[in-house]
Amino acid sequence: MLRPTIRKRILGIAIGLIFLMAITSALSTVMTRKIAHQLDEFSGKYVEAYGHLARMNIRSLEQALALRRIVIGRMQSPPDMAFSADQRKVYEAKGQEIEQEAQAARALINAIMDDVSTESDNARLGRIDDRIERVTIDLRRYLGEEYKRLLSLLDAGNFVEARASLTDTLRDELNQRIEDIRTDMLAQVRSDAVMTMRDQKTAIVISVVLTLLAGILGLMFSLFISTGITGPVRRLLEGTRAVEAGRLDGSIDVTTRDEIGQLTTAFNNMVEQLRHKERLRETFGRYVDPRVVEGLIDPQSLAASSGERRVMTVLFCDMKGFTSLSEGMTPQGLVKVMNHYLSTMSGPIRSHRGIIDKYIGDAIMAYWGPPFTEHSEQARLACLAAVEMADRGKALRTELPELLGVRTVPSDCEVRIGIATGEVLVGSIGSEFMMSYTVMGDAVNLASRLENANKIYGSHSLASEPAIIAAGDAVEAREIDRLVVAGQTRPEAVFEIIGRAGELTEKQLELLARYAEGLAAYRARRWDDARRAFQAALEAVPGDEPSNAMAQRVENFQANPPAADWDGAWRLDQK
């Protein structure tokens, strides 16, 4: 089946309008021709016929005048026979002209009556024609008799009676009859003029009505066709705006089978594909951070997708004692607890604009840096996320018994966090079968080692010196120690994140001061001063694990002093 196209619709509108214009033009032409014919009849027949009658009357008067001049010429003394002869010729010529004018008038009147294409009062015109014929006969007979009688009187010298015959009432009667015919003909001319003007006005009215009707029909036709075009286009525009606003839950009804209908079908298919891709994006975003997904879809937003070195901040998080805690759990229970734990720990990372790189068992790896966060903000956001994660870790310990269905959980179930800022390799890394957008490098390894180093000091959050310096005054931290982690040879100053800036208590501030004193004495090998400072720190905050760990180390060094080249750094051989 042929589908109606927009081109055909527009062509249909044009043809319809042309057809209406043609009808209007044809009717106007017919009426114009009719009026033109009536005007031609009026000017060429009615007026001409009236003119012939008028000239017939004039010729009759001129003939009477010539007759009088004949009498005058014969009555002179001596008689002017030449003048009379000339007037006699005029008299006879006027008689012929009267005949000609009468015949011409009758011919025009008969032509009017024979023309059936125009309206005319044929009965009245017929009576006028008969009257012209009768008056012509009477005038011909009268003029012949009058002329002979007048000549006989003149020849007999009876001038008195000849002069009296010039005032004959019969001629006056004939002239009056001609005048009456002229009057009737003039009335007929006026009647025809009125009829012609009426028809002309009617033609104008009909032309105006037809033009308006054609315009209205054309407008209705155009609106009917254009509505079928603009309606779907408007729905398409609304649908496009909805898609632009992110609303992909609707579709547009296909109401036509033309190009717009095909476009609507294609639009619905496109929206369906977008919905499918959005579902894929949402599903994929549950496994990979949505910003990374967006960047992988639009490679221009991830300039480092092919690999690039950048300074970034990396965070590792783990739960101490989770492995032993999970022993004996059912698979369903373990998944439930694991999902709750990972959701709880992932929340602060996401809220502080971090990218969760991967879950490794109960461990979490995340990072901050361009293009996802500004370079100046990455360390601050990571440290603030660590503070919130530590707070949530404390709350998590109160939630686990309910999830596990037990009264208490082991006391060593605590969150451990390691943070490091440094240069890493970032980009899409993997094989031809599977790729991962991730970070690699010394900073990643250091963050992992620091997370594990929490076991040594009993701390919750350890960060490298560059991370603490970059975080600025966003958090309160204390230097814990100088470490040489596995895989490195240079000692790194390591700091413990205590809390947000301005939120420490007086006891905590006292702890930081005493710990710093003990650490300085420790590095100077003043073991007694170091032991007293760490004990003072424990008095300020009893149970401070780093102070207790350092106090134990001082006692060990008092019993077994380090080598002479000891640099005050602690070396970690385990990863």
Side-chain angles (χ1 to χ4, degrees):
M1 180 181 292
L2 294 176
R3 295 180 177 179
T5 64
I6 297 177
R7 179 183 177 185
K8 290 181 179 179
R9 290 189 177 187
I10 296 175
L11 185 60
I13 294 175
I15 292 175
L17 292 176
I18 292 173
F19 181 72
L20 291 173
M21 290 172 61
I23 292 177
T24 304
S25 177
L27 291 175
S28 298
T29 301
V30 170
M31 290 185 294
T32 301
R33 288 183 176 179
K34 180 180 179 182
I35 298 301
H37 184 63
Q38 289 179 336
L39 290 174
D40 180 68
E41 183 181 71
F42 173 76
S43 62
K45 295 179 181 178
Y46 276 99
V47 175
E48 287 293 329
Y50 177 79
H52 288 302
L53 292 176
R55 286 190 293 273
M56 181 181 174
N57 194 10
I58 294 172
R59 301 295 178 265
S60 177
L61 294 175
E62 290 176 345
Q63 189 183 44
L65 179 59
L67 185 60
R68 283 172 172 74
R69 288 176 177 175
I70 293 172
V71 174
I72 293 172
R74 294 288 296 271
M75 291 178 63
Q76 290 181 3
S77 181
D80 191 350
M81 300 303 294
F83 175 75
S84 296
D86 291 337
Q87 292 302 313
R88 181 177 180 178
K89 293 178 180 179
V90 172
Y91 178 85
E92 293 175 352
K94 296 302 178 181
Q96 294 176 358
E97 290 178 4
I98 291 172
E99 290 281 347
Q100 292 173 358
E101 296 292 346
Q103 293 301 323
R106 292 187 61 197
L108 291 172
I109 292 172
N110 288 317
I112 294 172
M113 292 188 295
D114 293 339
D115 188 357
V116 297
S117 62
T118 57
E119 296 182 7
S120 58
D121 192 348
N122 291 340
R124 189 172 182 179
L125 290 172
R127 288 194 296 270
I128 292 175
D129 180 63
D130 291 340
R131 290 168 63 189
I132 294 173
E133 183 180 9
R134 287 196 302 270
V135 77
T136 302
I137 295 172
D138 293 342
L139 187 60
R140 185 186 309 120
R141 185 179 62 250
Y142 167 74
L143 292 177
E145 294 176 355
E146 180 188 33
Y147 181 68
K148 291 178 181 179
R149 185 172 63 84
L150 181 61
L151 287 179
S152 62
L153 290 175
L154 291 174
D155 291 339
N158 192 355
F159 297 114
V160 176
E161 189 175 351
R163 186 182 294 110
S165 65
L166 293 177
T167 58
D168 193 355
T169 57
L170 182 58
R171 172 176 285 277
D172 295 337
E173 180 183 351
L174 289 173
N175 288 336
Q176 185 61 44
R177 287 170 60 187
I178 295 174
E179 183 67 26
D180 293 340
I181 294 174
R182 283 179 55 201
T183 302
D184 290 345
M185 191 63 193
L186 180 60
Q188 190 67 19
V189 169
R190 290 174 177 173
S191 175
D192 186 82
V194 171
M195 186 182 302
T196 301
M197 292 178 64
R198 182 199 64 193
D199 292 342
Q200 187 177 20
K201 291 180 181 178
T202 302
I204 293 173
V205 172
I206 293 175
S207 297
V208 172
V209 171
L210 287 177
T211 302
L212 291 176
L213 181 62
I216 293 172
L217 291 177
L219 181 61
M220 293 177 61
F221 190 41
S222 300
L223 288 175
F224 176 75
I225 298 298
S226 60
T227 300
I229 297 175
T230 57
V233 170
R234 189 180 298 109
R235 288 193 293 272
L236 271 173
L237 180 60
E238 293 173 354
T240 303
R241 288 174 176 170
V243 172
E244 183 181 12
R247 300 192 300 271
L248 304 175
D249 53 345
S251 61
I252 302 175
D253 295 334
V254 181
T255 57
T256 62
R257 301 184 64 187
D258 54 16
E259 290 89 346
I260 295 181
Q262 299 173 30
L263 180 61
T264 304
T265 302
F267 177 84
N268 289 334
N269 293 336
M270 180 195 71
V271 173
E272 181 61 31
Q273 291 296 323
L274 289 175
R275 278 198 293 264
H276 179 66
K277 290 181 179 179
E278 188 64 23
R279 286 192 294 268
L280 290 177
R281 189 193 301 267
E282 291 175 357
T283 303
F284 195 27
R286 296 174 66 89
Y287 294 88
V288 182
D289 191 280
R291 287 169 291 176
V292 176
V293 174
E294 189 70 28
L296 294 174
I297 294 175
D298 183 10
Q300 292 182 352
S301 64
L302 282 184
S305 60
S306 59
E308 184 176 286
R309 287 198 171 274
R310 291 176 178 168
V311 175
M312 303 188 77
T313 300
V314 184
L315 177 147
F316 274 85
C317 173
D318 196 358
M319 176 174 277
K320 176 184 176 183
F322 189 84
T323 302
S324 60
L325 180 66
S326 62
E327 293 178 355
M329 288 186 187
T330 63
Q332 294 81 4
L334 180 59
V335 170
K336 181 178 180 181
V337 173
M338 181 70 76
N339 289 342
H340 181 71
Y341 159 70
L342 293 176
S343 297
T344 301
M345 293 296 104
S346 299
I349 297 174
R350 295 292 294 272
S351 64
H352 288 83
R353 294 184 287 168
I355 302 295
I356 298 176
D357 184 81
K358 60 176 71 70
Y359 296 122
I360 311 169
D362 61 327
I364 302 174
M365 175 184 171
Y367 57 85
W368 283 258
F372 309 107
T373 54
E374 295 295 331
H375 175 74
S376 59
E377 294 183 332
Q378 55 177 312
R380 179 180 63 84
L381 293 172
C383 292
L384 290 175
V387 173
E388 187 174 343
M389 291 170 70
D391 293 340
R392 290 197 180 189
K394 296 176 183 177
L396 183 63
R397 289 191 59 193
T398 63
E399 299 171 357
L400 285 178
E402 183 178 353
L403 291 173
L404 296 173
V406 297
R407 292 185 178 181
T408 60
V409 295
S411 59
D412 59 350
C413 289
E414 295 180 350
V415 173
R416 300 180 306 202
I417 300 170
I419 299 175
T421 298
E423 187 179 82
V424 297
L425 174 65
V426 57
S428 296
I429 301 171
S431 67
E432 59 179 318
F433 304 105
M434 183 175 179
M435 302 290 289
S436 175
Y437 187 84
T438 186
V439 294
M440 298 175 62
D442 291 340
V444 179
N445 297 330
L446 179 58
S448 177
R449 304 294 186 269
L450 293 180
E451 179 272 318
N452 194 53
N454 284 290
K455 299 177 183 178
I456 299 173
Y457 301 97
S459 55
H460 297 291
S461 302
L462 293 180
S464 66
E465 185 176 14
I468 294 300
I469 293 175
D473 57 358
V475 294
E476 298 285 355
R478 63 173 169 178
E479 184 179 359
I480 289 291
D481 202 355
R482 294 173 66 192
L483 296 178
V484 179
V485 300
Q488 292 185 351
T489 58
R490 288 189 308 105
E492 289 271 356
V494 178
F495 292 77
E496 181 189 17
I497 301 173
I498 305 299
R500 296 178 183 84
E503 294 184 0
L504 298 188
T505 64
E506 293 183 2
K507 293 291 186 181
Q508 288 176 316
L509 294 174
E510 179 70 16
L511 169 67
L512 296 184
R514 302 287 80 80
Y515 190 91
E517 293 175 0
L519 188 60
Y522 164 77
R523 290 173 178 169
R525 300 192 182 200
R526 292 184 282 110
W527 310 120
D528 292 335
D529 293 340
R531 182 173 52 81
R532 285 192 295 270
F534 288 131
Q535 289 298 327
L538 286 170
E539 291 175 2
V541 179
D544 181 57
E545 292 296 333
S547 297
N548 188 43
M550 292 302 292
Q552 291 291 334
R553 189 185 296 177
V554 168
E555 290 183 6
N556 292 336
F557 277 149
Q558 281 182 323
N560 299 297
D565 59 350
W566 180 66
D567 57 1
W570 188 259
R571 284 166 173 77
L572 296 178
D573 297 329
Q574 296 180 350
K575 294 185 178 180

